[in-house]
C-alpha cells in the first residue's frame, strides 16, 4: 500500500472550485476519484480560461489524479448506473445547490438505503440548513458576508477581497476534513454519514480570534494594513528594488536587527528598547528603520537578516514563488504532462507523509476519457453492454 | 460512539496558532487532545491579549475541548513520563522549529521505536527539509513569500496581507488533513508515519490556479481589487448606508438585476447584453449600475435581490457576522462558559456531520488543570506516586 487513501473510491459530482479542491486533496493522497460529468459539457470550469490549446489550465490544475466518466443523471438509465456505482463506492461528493440531489431522487436519504456505508459530502454556499440554504453563493459573496474582507486591506482603507478564492478553498479543505473524519468513524462502526459544509461557515471558522477579540473589546476590527497589530517592527519596508517583510518578534531579534542596520544606538534606546516602547513610539521609529532598509536591495537584506536569524522574506510575486529554492526543494511546484496540452506547472501536495507520500499519478482527464474503463471495472460491463447503452445517449 | 474521532488520543505540544488550530479541529470532532505545556509559562498565547480578567481570549478560542498537563520536557524524569504517554497515544503534534524534538531526544525516529503506530505531525514555517528548514517563520513572512500578498489588494495598489492569519490557519488545516489521512492508512496497515507540513507550502497550495494562470499566460498577477476578473457585474457597489456585493454570474441574472434596478433598457442593450460585452464596455456600464444601487440601503437591496435570486451579500464587519441569521442558524457562533473568564463567544464547528456532530464539550483548560487526572488516567499513577514526582519540579 503506497498511498494513504489507497482503496477509497470517491464518486465526484463536483464542479468548478470548492468541491474539486476537496476531491483533489483526497486524490493527491491516493483516493480513486471518479469524476462524473454531464455529457458534452462537463465541469463548467472546462470553459474557464486561460487555455492551452483547447484545454483549460484552471480545470487541469484542479483535476489531476482524477478519472472522468460522463453520465446524464437526468436519464433514468443513467440514474440506475449511478446507483449501482454507489453500491461500490466509499464516498460521494457534490457541490450543487441544496435540494438538487433530492430532486434527482439521489439525496443522502435515498443513497444511504442503497449503501449504509456511504459517506455523502455536500459543499454548498450556505449549507443544507438555515434560512439562506437555497440561495446561490459565489466566492466573492461569502468573502463579503463572512467578515474576512472587512479585516483585509490597507490601514484606513476599504474592505478588500482576498486574491485567491479563499471562500471556495477553505470550504474544499473543510469538506476533505469532514470526509476523512467520517471515514475514521466508519472504520470503527461500519456506518457512513452526511458531511454538510457551507462556504459561509468556513469563512467564520477562519476569522478565528477576530471574533473573540471583538467580543471581548467591543471594538469592530477594520482593515489593518500589513503591520502586525502588537509587534514592532513586523511589517514590510521598502528596499532599493522592492520590499522586504521584517519580523523582529522579540527584543533579542530587535537588537540583532539594529546591529545589521548599523543603528545599535536604537537597540537600548530608552524609547525603543522594549516592544511596548516600540509600539508607543512607532511613529518616530518607523522612519528610522525605513531609512536604513532603503539602502540595500531585497536580496542583500535577505542574506544579511538570514545570517543573524531575523525572520524576513521578500514579497514574492507568483513568478518568484516558482523560483524560490525552498518551494522547489519541497516539490511544491510540479510539472504534469497532459496528453493534449503538454507540460503544465501547478502546486504540489502540501501534506508530506513519510510512508505514503502524496503523488501526481495522472493528469486531469479529458471529458469522459474513462467512461468505458470505469463501466467495465466497477460495474463489470462487457463491450456489448456498453455499446447498447451508448445508444441511449446517456454518456 | 457519539463523535467521529472518539478514542483517538492526541498528545499536543503545539503553541500559538498553526498547531493549536490543527488540534482544535481534531478536538472539535471528538479526539481526546492532551495539551502538554511548560510549567509556569504554558502556551505563549496565554500571554496574548485581549484578556478577560487574566485569561487570554486568543488562547481560549483556540484551545476549547482540550485538557492541559504541565511537563518540563528538559527534565529526564519528565521525558520518561512523556515516553510512557507516547505508548498510549495515537497522535503527537508539535510546531517547534525543526530539530527541537531531536535535540530533546524525542524526534520521530525515537518515538516510532517506542510506538510504531504513532502518527507524528510537525507543523513548521518552512518544513523539515530544504534550505530554509531551520529558519523561523511567522504568518506575515510566509504570506509575503508565498505569493498571496502579491495578488491581494486594491487594483494598482500595494500587496496586502490577508487579515486573518491565513499562513498559520491553512497550515493548521492541512496538518489535520495529514493526520486524518495517516489514521486511515494506520487503520488498514497498523503502521504510523510522520506528517510534515510547512506554512510556506500551504500558501503555495492555496494560490491554486494563480500559478497555472501565470505559467500559461506569462503575465504576473497583481492585486486585482474586489472585481471579478472576467464576470461583470461581480463586485461591491455603494448603497445609501454601506456597500453590497452583487454577483450576476450569467445573462439571466443580469436581466433580473436590470429589472430591479429599473433599468430594463440595459438588459438587451447592444453594449451590455452579454458578459463579453459587459466586460468590453465596463467603464461606461459601471457608473450606471452604481447610480442605481446608490438609491437604496444595503438591507433594501438584499431583500430585493434575494427575491429575484441574484446572488448578493453585504460586506459584513465582524459584529454583523455575529448577528447574521444564517451564521446563527448554523451554530457558527458558540458561547462557552469558562470557569474563570465566564461566557465567551467564538467560532463554531464548520464540519457538520449528521451522525457524529462536532461539539464543544469543555472550555479551554487552565494551565496544568488536568495534570493529576491525566497522570492517573493514562499512566495509572497513584496519589503517592504523583506527590513524589511533584517534588522534582517537573509539572
Amino acid at each position: 500500500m503506497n498511498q494513504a487513501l489507497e482503496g477509497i473510491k470517491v464518486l465526484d459530482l463536483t464542479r468548478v472550485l470548492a468541491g474539486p479542491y476537496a476531491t483533489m486533496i483526497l486524490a493527491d493522497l491516493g483516493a480513486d476519484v471518479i469524476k462524473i460529468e454531464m455529457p458534452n459539457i462537463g465541469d463548467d470550469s472546462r470553459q474557464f480560461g486561460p487555455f492551452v490549446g483547447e484545454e483549460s489550465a484552471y480545470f487541469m490544475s484542479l483535476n489531476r489524479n482524477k478519472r472522468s466518466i460522463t453520465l446524464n443523471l437526468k436519464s433514468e438509465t443513467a440514474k440506475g448506473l449511478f446507483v449501482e456505482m454507489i453500491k461500490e463506492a466509499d464516498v460521494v461528493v457534490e457541490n450543487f445547490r441544496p435540494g438538487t440531489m433530492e430532486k434527482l431522487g439521489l439525496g443522502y436519504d435515498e443513497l444511504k438505503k442503497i449503501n449504509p456505508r456511504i459517506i455523502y459530502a455536500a459543499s454548498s454556499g450556505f449549507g443544507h440548513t438555515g434560512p439562506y440554504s437555497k440561495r446561490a453563493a459565489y466566492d466573492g459573496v461569502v468573502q463579503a458576508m463572512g467578515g474576512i474582507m472587512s479585516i483585509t486591506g490597507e490601514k484606513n482603507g476599504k474592505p478588500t477581497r482576498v486574491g485567491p478564492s479563499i471562500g471556495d478553498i477553505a470550504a474544499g479543505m473543510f469538506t476533505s476534513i469532514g470526509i476523512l473524519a467520517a471515514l475514521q468513524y466508519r472504520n470503527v462502526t461500519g456506518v457512513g454519514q452526511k458531511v454538510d459544509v457551507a462556504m459561509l461557515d468556513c469563512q467564520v471558522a477562519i476569522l478565528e480570534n477576530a471574533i473573540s477579540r471583538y467580543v471581548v473589546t467591543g471594538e469592530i476590527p477594520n482593515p489593518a494594513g500589513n503591520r502586525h497589530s502588537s509587534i514592532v517592527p513586523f511589517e514590510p519596508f521598502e528596499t532599493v528594488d522592492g520590499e522586504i517583510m521584517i519580523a523582529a518578534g522579540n527584543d533579542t531579534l530587535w537588537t540583532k536587527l539594529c546591529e545589521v542596520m548599523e543603528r545599535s544606538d536604537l537597540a537600548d534606546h530608552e524609547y525603543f528598547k522594549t516592544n511596548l516602547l516600540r509600539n508607543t513610539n512607532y511613529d518616530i521609529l518607523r522612519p528610522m528603520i525605513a531609512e536604513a532598509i532603503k539602502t540595500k536591495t531585497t536580496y542583500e537584506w535577505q542574506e544579511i537578516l538570514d545570517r543573524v536569524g531575523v525572520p524576513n522574506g521578500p514579497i514574492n510575486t507568483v513568478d518568484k514563488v516558482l523560483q524560490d529554492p525552498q518551494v522547489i526543494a519541497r516539490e511544491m511546484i510540479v510539472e504534469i504532462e497532459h496528453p493534449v496540452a503538454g507540460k503544465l506547472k501547478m502546486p504540489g501536495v502540501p501534506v508530506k507523509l513519510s510512508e505514503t507520500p502524496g503523488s501526481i499519478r495522472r493528469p486531469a482527464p479529458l471529458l469522459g476519457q474513462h467512461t468505458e474503463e470505469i463501466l467495465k471495472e466497477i460495474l463489470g460491463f462487457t463491450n456489448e453492454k456498453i455499446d447498447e447503452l451508448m445508444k441511449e445517449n446517456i454518456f
Side-chain angles (χ1 to χ4, degrees), chain A residues 77-242:
Chain A
T77 311
K79 274 184 208 175
L81 297 183
F82 178 74
V83 162
E84 290 305 308
M85 289 172 76
I86 284 288
K87 291 180 187 167
E88 309 298 323
D90 300 285
V91 180
V92 58
V93 196
E94 52 96 349
N95 63 341
F96 295 117
R97 211 186 279 207
T100 305
M101 289 293 279
E102 284 73 12
K103 257 185 236 162
L104 290 169
L106 301 171
Y108 174 59
D109 290 341
E110 296 304 318
L111 299 184
K112 80 173 171 189
K113 284 181 207 154
I114 296 158
N115 178 359
R117 289 173 58 82
I118 199 81
I119 292 162
Y120 180 109
S123 168
S124 61
F126 297 109
H128 280 212
T129 59
Y132 305 169
S133 178
K134 294 287 156 65
R135 284 197 216 163
Y138 290 98
D139 179 78
V141 172
V142 297
Q143 283 204 32
M145 296 177 74
I148 198 167
M149 283 182 65
S150 78
I151 58 172
T152 299
E154 292 180 17
K155 182 99 183 158
N156 304 319
K158 298 196 83 158
T160 304
R161 188 179 167 279
V162 176
S165 299
I166 199 72
D168 282 295
I169 287 171
M173 290 170 77
F174 275 120
T175 301
S176 71
I177 288 170
I179 291 167
L180 292 169
L183 215 43
Q184 167 63 20
Y185 178 72
R186 196 187 75 170
N187 280 328
V188 179
T189 63
V191 179
Q193 60 181 312
K194 180 173 175 179
V195 181
D196 166 18
V197 172
M199 289 165 72
L200 181 62
D201 291 355
C202 297
Q203 292 303 290
V204 178
I206 66 172
L207 273 189
E208 220 318 277
N209 63 69
I211 290 180
S212 24
R213 256 190 292 138
Y214 160 69
V215 171
V216 170
T217 64
E219 289 163 25
I220 299 168
N222 289 316
N226 294 337
R227 185 186 155 190
H228 194 284
S229 58
S230 58
I231 303 175
V232 175
F234 199 124
E235 64 183 294
F237 291 90
E238 282 188 16
T239 62
V240 167
D241 59 346

Side-chain angles (χ1 to χ4, degrees), chain A residues 17 34 47 52 173 178 194 242 281 317 323 373 375 378 391:
Chain A
L17 187 41
I34 296 168
Q47 315 306 324
V52 185
M173 290 170 77
K194 180 173 175 179
N281 300 307
T317 43
Q323 297 159 17
E373 174 181 314
L375 290 172
I378 301 189
K391 293 178 197 146

